[in-house]
Amino acid sequence: MTRGGIGGRSGGRAERVAKRLAAPEVNPCAPGQVGGFYKPLSEAEIVAIYETALRLLSELGMGEVPEVLERRFLEAGARKADARILFPRAMVERCIGLAARTFTFHGRDPGRSIEVGGDRVHFGTGGAAVQTLDLETGRYRPSTLRDLYDFTRLQDTLTNVSWFTRCCVATDVADSFDLDVNTVFALLKGTTKPVATSFTLAEHVAPILRMVDMALGHEGAFLGTPFLKAHISPVISPMRFGEDAVLVTLACMEHGLPLSCITAAQSGATAPATLAGFLAQSLAETLGSLMMVNVFKPGYPMVFSNWPLVIDLRTGAFAGGGGEISVLNAASAQISNWLGLPSGVASSMTDAKAIDAQYGVEKALSSLAAGLAGGNLIYESSGMTASLLGASFEAFVIDNEMHAMIYRALRGIEVTPDTLGFDAICEAVLGEGHFLGGAQTLAAMQRDYYYPRLADRDAPITWAEKGQPDAWTRAKAAAREVLATHHPAYLDPAAEERIRAEYNILLEA
C-alpha cells in the first residue's frame, strides 16, 4: 500500500481544497427520490379504513349531486335513495381500476417535466394565502398580483420545488375573471416549471386556455404538453358535492387540464375527531371525486389529493403544524399508494408567523413524514406560513434547502463493495491515519453529501465575527438577490403584446 492512500496524493493541498469546494458533479439529493418507508398504518388497519369508506359510499352516499353528474353516476351503476346517491362496492372498485396510475406533469421546458405516481416523491406548492410577509418590513400585508409574480420567479430558481401552484391570492384584483386570468399570466411569465391554478367559475376555463395557447404560439398547443394543472375541491365535507366546483372540473377535463381533486376535511369540524374515522370519511370523499372523473373520462390524469387538515379543538382554529397533521397526511399517502393511485398530500403548513424555531420544527416534521410515507406530490410544502394565511419569500428559500435534506434522507445508504471500503480503511489505518483527501473521500463528497448554502456551520467565533446572522437574515439576503437579478423572459414579446391587447392584464410589463 502506498502512504498516500488510494492512488496516492496528486496535485498537492491546493488541488484537494479546490475539489472539496467544487460544485458536485452529481446531485446527491435530486427531486423524485423513492418514498414509502414510513408506514403509520398496518395492512389490517388500511383494510379497515378502506372497508369503512366503501360502506359510507354504499350506505350513506353523497349528497347535493348536480344533475349532470347524477345522470352519469346512475348510468354507471349508482342508485338514488331519497336525495342521496349511493355507490355499490363494485362500481367504486371498477372506477379505481379505471383510474390513471401515472402521468406526466409537463413543464413548458421539457427538462422540468415530472412523472406523477409510483413511488417517487416531489415537493411543490399550493395554498391561497391572502397575506405576504413583506421582505422589507418583516410584517404581514395583503398579497398582491406583484407578489404572486415575484414568488413565481423566485421559485423558478429553486431546484427542489418541482412544480408551482399559485401560493397566494392577488387581493388587489377584485374581478374574479381578471383574477383567474392574471394569475395564469403571472405563471406563464415567471416560470417554465409545471404549474397549477384554480378557476372561480367554469366559464373562465375556455378563455384562459385560449390565452395559454396564445402564449404557446398557436391554437391547440396546450394539449400537446399540458403543463397547467387545475386545483379543485369538488367534494365539500361531510359527504356532499359542490356544484360550482363540479362544473369547473368538467370544463377542465374538456380542455385537457390534469386535475388535483382535493378533499380538505377538518378534524372535529367537517370530519370525525378520531384519526381513523377521519381517514375513512376523507377516503370516501376523495373516492367520490375519483368516480366523478372516471365516469366521464376513464383514465383521465388526476392526483388523488386526500389532504387531512386538523383544527385545534380548543379554539376551532386551523392548525397547520404538529404531530396529528403529520401522521394523518402520511397515512393518507400510504392509503393512496396502497390503492395504486397518484397521491397528493400536504405538509409544511406551519402555524408560525415568524421564521423561527416553531417554523423549523413544524415544517421539518410534517415534510419528512410525508416524504418518508411516499406522497407523490407534497403540496403546501414551500413558502407557506401562518396556518396557510401567509406566504414568505424567505420561507421559499429555506424550504428549498429543507427539501434537499429530506430527499437526501429518502435516498438512503448505498451498500456496495466500493462503499464498504475495506481496502480504503486498511490503507488509511496503515498509511496516514486519516481519510482526508483520499480518492474515496473525494468521490463520496461529490456523490453522497449535500452542502447547504443557508444553514450555518461556522464555529461560534466565526459566526460572531460575521454579525451573528440567523436563518431569517440569511434567507432574506438570498431572496433579495434572486428578485434583483432573475428577470425571466419566458413569454415571447409578440405573444405577450397580443395577450395584453385581448385581456385585462394588470401586471406591469
Side-chain angles (χ1 to χ4, degrees), residues 205-215 219 255 499 502-503:
V205 176
I208 289 175
L209 265 293
R210 170 175 160 73
M211 179 181 72
V212 171
D213 277 345
M214 291 170 67
E219 183 178 351
H255 289 86
I499 290 170
E502 184 167 329
Y503 295 85

Side-chain angles (χ1 to χ4, degrees), residues 246-272:
V246 167
L247 296 178
V248 169
T249 304
L250 299 181
C252 288
M253 292 172 66
E254 183 182 345
H255 289 86
L257 283 84
L259 304 172
S260 282
C261 288
I262 299 165
T263 301
Q266 294 186 318
S267 62
T270 61

Side-chain angles (χ1 to χ4, degrees), residues 29-245:
C29 42
Q33 296 296 328
V34 172
F37 308 104
Y38 173 40
K39 299 182 185 296
L41 297 168
S42 69
E43 177 82 9
E45 289 167 339
I46 293 176
V47 170
I49 290 167
Y50 175 64
E51 293 292 336
T52 304
L54 292 181
R55 186 180 175 193
L56 286 169
L57 288 167
S58 65
E59 297 181 22
L60 175 63
M62 301 292 293
E64 300 183 27
V65 181
E67 184 179 353
V68 62
L69 184 54
E70 178 182 304
R71 287 199 308 269
R72 191 59 66 98
F73 276 153
L74 295 176
E75 291 169 359
R79 64 186 181 87
K80 191 169 185 178
D82 298 323
R84 302 187 69 82
I85 301 298
L86 308 182
F87 303 92
R89 179 190 187 106
M91 176 184 173
V92 179
E93 294 192 325
R94 184 170 65 252
C95 287
I96 293 173
L98 292 171
R101 265 35 191 177
T102 61
F103 65 90
T104 301
F105 189 10
H106 293 276
R108 278 161 66 206
D109 175 352
R112 303 178 106 172
S113 299
I114 59 176
E115 291 300 311
V116 180
D119 54 11
R120 297 293 173 176
V121 174
H122 287 276
F123 288 99
T125 70
V130 293
Q131 298 181 61
T132 292
L133 183 60
D134 191 277
L135 196 56
E136 304 305 322
T137 67
R139 296 179 180 274
Y140 285 92
R141 56 167 176 73
S143 298
T144 66
L145 180 60
R146 181 68 200 191
D147 290 327
L148 174 60
Y149 174 60
D150 287 345
F151 281 124
T152 306
R153 62 191 181 94
L154 172 65
Q155 66 77 42
D156 187 58
T157 69
L158 303 179
T159 303
N160 300 307
V161 179
S162 290
W163 83 94
F164 183 64
T165 303
R166 64 101 170 90
C167 60
C168 68
V169 176
T171 64
D172 55 340
V173 182
D175 180 81
S176 65
F177 179 67
D178 284 346
L179 175 62
D180 288 355
V181 165
N182 280 274
T183 296
V184 174
F185 180 83
L187 303 180
L188 291 169
K189 192 172 174 67
T191 190
T192 56
K193 290 182 183 181
V195 291
T197 191
S198 61
F199 299 90
T200 309
L201 297 171
E203 296 76 39
H204 295 181
V205 176
I208 289 175
L209 265 293
R210 170 175 160 73
M211 179 181 72
V212 171
D213 277 345
M214 291 170 67
L216 297 178
H218 62 89
E219 183 178 351
F222 173 76
L223 288 174
T225 52
F227 61 87
L228 177 66
K229 180 161 59 69
H231 279 204
I232 314 168
S233 295
V235 170
I236 301 172
S237 302
M239 302 293 289
R240 61 191 177 93
F241 282 98
E243 183 169 13
D244 285 348

Side-chain angles (χ1 to χ4, degrees), residues 321-345:
E324 301 83 12
I325 201 164
S326 300
V327 73
L328 276 170
N329 276 278
S332 174
Q334 184 186 0
I335 293 168
S336 301
N337 294 346
W338 179 78
L339 290 168
L341 300 171
S343 57
V345 294

